[in-house]
């Protein structure tokens, strides 16, 4: 006989929900969004490390050094330092926001119900989902190009398809991504674990190929593209903010993965080992490869897919493209599909299950890349390029997510004292439908950031958007919540 009231039990600091009819019949609950059982939390520190290696080694990471030197006026050395420092900084919200996921086994949208309300959580969720769908489309474009070049190296006639072949590759890669995520978290875990050593091997191979053709001394001596005599501080800070923005999205939805971690130690150590050094080394590789590309293939090439496509040996091209397909797949599935899948389910868990949410994610990503796909098919002519979208809109948009990160940390650690009503997060009678404190704390820094775009005096507020946003959002939320203690700040987790 089904129990009526849900029960929460604790085992070695990990909480587990035995759902009763009060939760099972709730419109806020489905099986995919349910807290993971302790026995389902099987990811150790090496699985978490592999997750980050798999996500960090990707085409956009490879191009980061070029983005910072071309768009942010940094030298090569400054750019690489900005990438390293940014990923050390972003570890703070990543590890802190991972805590409730590991302790309670809950995904990102369910955690947001504490700070934004049961229904209000949908607003930041959908904001986060849109960014992820944009990244999904961009990564799928790179993966599709790799498939096109792979097939072109195997079948001579395929090359003649040109842009049409790239679009076919896009659709094949699109289907492959959705299939992996529909199969569930275990398939993602094993994909990341198996691909991580292969990706490291790709990086080493590219470095061995490039090093004889580049002088590191000359590379580091290239002057930055900024006004002569300009202070490095403002340029470096702007670049640092953009690089923090690169993983700002994951710093929010890290509970989607930490809910599978065996312990807090595993999620912390895994992230420390897996993220900063991987990002730094692969971005450094991108800088070296771009500099060496002139001698290697005769032209400057800033992305590895196109660069490898210039190799004359079909065998090496096919092998390299196969590994890049794996690299892009491991990044895309974990970083860009898991989150919107959970976010879309949060809208109506009884109506939208994981399969439907994955398909919805795929469709939104497809629509966002529609312009680029039509260009490749020759149906439209446009100067708007993928690099423009990547460098400007996505990195800038991601920096606006800082307030959400600050609000989440303050709500869990300072307001709720690391104590959540686990069953109450899946019902309508414990937490408010809309927590307006969360929306005020989110809205104020976002509005100020946007207003600062038109003001020279306050341009620093935008340039340092993630830092100013997360700090101000957290402070406002704490101030508002402290004035009126929340009734949902429970004394115990049960």
């Amino acid at each position: 006989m089904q129990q009526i009231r849900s029960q929460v039990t604790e085992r070695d600091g990990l909480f587990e929900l035995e759902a009763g009819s009060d939760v099972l019949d709730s419109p806020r609950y489905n099986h995919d969004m349910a807290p993971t059982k302790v026995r389902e939390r099987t990811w150790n520190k090496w699985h978490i490390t592999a997750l980050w290696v798999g996500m960090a080694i990707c085409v956009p990471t490879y191009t980061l050094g070029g983005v910072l030197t071309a768009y942010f006026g940094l030298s090569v050395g400054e750019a690489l330092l900005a990438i390293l420092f940014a990923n050390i900084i972003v570890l703070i919200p990543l590890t802190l926001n991972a805590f409730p996921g590991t302790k309670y086994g809950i995904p990102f949208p369910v955690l947001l119900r504490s700070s934004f309300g049961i229904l209000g959580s949908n607003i930041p969720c959908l904001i986060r989902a849109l960014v992820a769908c944009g990244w999904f489309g961009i990564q799928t474009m790179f993966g599709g190009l790799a498939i096109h070049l792979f097939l072109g190296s195997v079948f001579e006639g395929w090359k003649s398809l040109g842009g049409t072949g790239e679009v076919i590759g896009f659709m094949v890669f699109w289907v492959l991504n959705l299939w992996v995520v529909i199969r569930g978290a275990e398939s993602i875990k094993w994909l990341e674990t198996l691909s991580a050593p292969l990706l490291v091997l790709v990086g080493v191979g590219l470095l061995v190929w490039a090093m004889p053709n580049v002088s590191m001394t000359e590379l580091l001596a290239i002057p930055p593209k900024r006004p002569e005599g300009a202070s490095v501080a403002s340029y470096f800070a702007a670049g640092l903010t953009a690089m923090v923005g690169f993983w700002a999205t994951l710093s929010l939805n890290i509970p989607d993965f930490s809910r599978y971690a065996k312990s807090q130690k595993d999620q912390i150590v895994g992230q420390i080992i897996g993220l900063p050094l991987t990002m730094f080394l692969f971005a450094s590789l991108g800088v070296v490869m771009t500099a060496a590309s002139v001698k290697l293939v005769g032209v400057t090439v800033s992305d590895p897919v196109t660069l490898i496509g210039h190799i004359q040996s079909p065998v090496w091209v096919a092998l390299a493209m196969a590994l890049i397909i794996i690299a892009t797949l491991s990044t895309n599935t974990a970083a860009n599909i898991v989150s919107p899948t959970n976010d879309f389910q949060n809208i109506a868990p009884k109506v939208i299950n994981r399969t439907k949410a994955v398909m919805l994610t795929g469709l939104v990503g497809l629509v966002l890349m529609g312009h680029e796909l039509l260009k490749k098919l020759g149906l439209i002519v446009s100067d708007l390029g993928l690099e423009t979208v990547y460098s400007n809109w996505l990195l800038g948009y991601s920096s606006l997510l800082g307030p959400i990160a600050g609000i989440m940390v303050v709500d869990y650690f300072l307001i709720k004292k690391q104590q959540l009503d686990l069953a109450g997060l899946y019902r309508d009678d414990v937490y408010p439908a809309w927590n307006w404190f969360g929306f005020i704390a989110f809205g104020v820094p976002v509005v100020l950031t946007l207003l600062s775009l038109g003001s020279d005096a306050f341009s620093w507020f935008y340039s340092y958007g993630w830092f100013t946003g997360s700090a101000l959002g957290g402070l406002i939320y704490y101030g508002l919540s402290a004035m009126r203690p929340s009734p949902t700040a429970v004394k115990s987790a049960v």
Side-chain angles (χ1 to χ4, degrees):
M1 182 176 178
Q2 187 184 90
Q3 64 186 36
I4 297 175
R5 298 295 296 180
S6 300
Q7 301 293 322
V8 176
T9 56
E10 184 261 339
R11 190 187 312 168
D12 298 326
L14 303 180
F15 287 78
E16 186 174 87
L17 177 68
E18 290 295 334
S21 58
D22 60 326
V23 165
L24 295 173
D25 297 336
S26 169
R28 314 302 164 204
Y29 176 92
N30 71 14
H31 176 72
D32 297 319
M33 300 282 285
T36 51
K37 300 293 186 183
V38 172
R39 67 175 180 275
E40 296 172 321
R41 302 178 202 182
T42 60
W43 294 31
N44 61 31
K45 61 179 178 291
W46 299 116
H47 294 125
I48 304 286
T49 298
L51 172 72
W52 278 110
V53 171
M55 289 196 294
I57 297 182
C58 60
V59 175
T61 301
Y62 180 100
T63 64
L64 285 181
V67 169
L68 287 174
T69 55
Y71 291 95
F72 290 88
L74 299 182
S75 68
V76 170
E78 292 163 355
L80 296 179
L81 280 178
I83 292 167
L84 179 61
F85 289 167
N87 284 281
I88 292 173
I89 290 168
V90 86
L91 271 177
I92 298 171
L94 274 167
T95 53
L96 291 177
N97 282 328
F99 264 79
T102 300
K103 182 175 180 177
Y104 292 103
I106 53 176
F108 165 64
V110 174
L111 176 59
L112 272 186
R113 294 172 182 178
S114 172
S115 52
F116 285 86
I118 298 295
L119 297 178
S121 62
N122 287 300
I123 303 299
C125 277
L126 291 178
I127 293 172
R128 166 66 183 96
L130 181 60
V131 179
C133 290
W135 282 117
F136 166 65
I138 286 177
Q139 291 276 20
T140 303
M141 195 68 71
F142 285 127
L145 175 59
I147 288 177
H148 169 65
L149 293 173
F150 172 81
L151 293 174
S153 67
V154 177
F155 307 105
E156 186 63 32
W158 188 271
K159 295 179 181 178
S160 63
L161 292 175
T164 302
E166 291 184 40
V167 173
I168 293 172
F170 177 95
M171 295 309 302
V172 170
F173 195 68
W174 184 85
V175 171
L176 186 59
N177 277 267
L178 302 188
W179 177 75
V180 169
V181 180
I182 287 173
R183 287 177 58 86
E186 280 297 300
S187 66
I188 294 174
K189 181 180 82 172
W190 289 114
L191 171 65
E192 302 296 338
T193 302
L194 293 173
S195 64
L198 292 175
L199 303 183
V200 173
L201 186 63
V202 170
V204 172
L206 287 173
L207 189 62
V208 170
W209 180 41
M211 283 308 292
N213 297 280
V214 66
S215 166
M216 290 303 297
T217 303
E218 293 178 6
L219 185 60
L220 293 173
I222 297 174
K225 297 178 181 178
R226 59 175 180 260
E228 189 175 349
S231 171
V232 67
S234 60
Y235 287 88
F236 187 85
L240 187 69
T241 301
M243 293 306 97
V244 170
F246 190 83
W247 287 123
T249 50
L250 262 293
S251 72
L252 302 183
N253 76 285
I254 189 64
D256 290 333
F257 301 102
S258 66
R259 65 194 293 227
Y260 298 104
K262 285 185 173 182
S263 68
Q264 299 292 2
K265 181 180 178 181
D266 283 303
Q267 68 93 355
I268 294 170
V269 173
Q271 294 197 86
I272 290 174
I273 295 173
L275 176 60
L277 197 57
T278 305
M279 286 289 293
F280 175 76
L281 292 177
F282 201 66
S284 300
L285 174 66
V287 171
V288 171
M289 293 299 300
T290 301
S293 61
V294 176
K295 290 185 179 180
L296 289 171
V297 298
V299 293
T300 300
V301 182
S302 60
D303 80 82
V305 180
T306 305
L307 178 62
I308 294 170
H310 282 84
I311 299 175
Q312 298 302 311
S313 169
V315 175
W316 282 112
V317 171
L319 178 61
M321 287 303 152
L323 293 174
I324 284 179
I325 290 168
I326 294 172
T328 310
L329 181 65
S330 66
T331 299
N332 220 13
T333 51
N336 303 321
I337 306 181
V338 170
S339 177
T341 294
N342 289 334
D343 297 338
F344 289 137
Q345 286 186 82
N346 193 59
I347 299 171
K350 294 297 187 189
V351 178
I352 306 175
N353 60 17
R354 182 173 63 211
T355 300
K356 291 179 181 178
V358 170
M359 296 306 299
L360 184 57
T361 298
L363 289 173
V364 174
L366 184 62
V367 169
L368 290 175
M369 288 297 107
H371 178 271
E372 192 71 16
L373 293 172
L374 291 174
K375 275 178 59 179
K376 291 185 180 298
L377 290 172
L379 298 178
I380 62 172
V381 178
S382 172
D383 293 331
L384 180 63
L386 195 62
E387 186 177 276
T388 303
V389 176
Y390 160 55
S391 301
N392 297 332
W393 180 71
L394 280 174
L395 287 177
Y397 188 56
S398 295
S399 71
L400 295 178
L401 300 178
I404 301 177
I407 290 166
M408 290 173 66
V409 170
V410 168
D411 179 73
Y412 182 69
F413 286 96
L414 301 182
I415 304 302
K416 304 297 168 42
K417 310 293 185 185
Q418 301 186 61
Q419 302 297 319
L420 299 174
D421 186 323
L422 187 54
L425 289 170
Y426 292 90
R427 303 200 310 258
D428 291 328
D429 59 345
V430 177
Y431 294 87
W434 299 83
N435 184 0
W436 296 109
F437 291 169
F439 286 97
I440 294 170
F442 173 64
V444 170
V446 167
V447 170
L448 290 176
T449 300
L450 295 176
L451 290 176
S452 68
L453 283 171
S455 170
D456 292 336
F458 292 98
S459 60
W460 58 271
F461 199 92
Y462 176 79
S463 297
Y464 313 145
W466 191 89
F467 298 100
T468 54
S470 57
L472 185 57
L475 284 171
I476 293 174
Y477 185 79
Y478 181 79
L480 292 172
S481 300
M483 287 190 298
R484 191 186 71 187
S486 171
T488 54
V490 293
K491 294 183 179 180
S492 65
V494 296

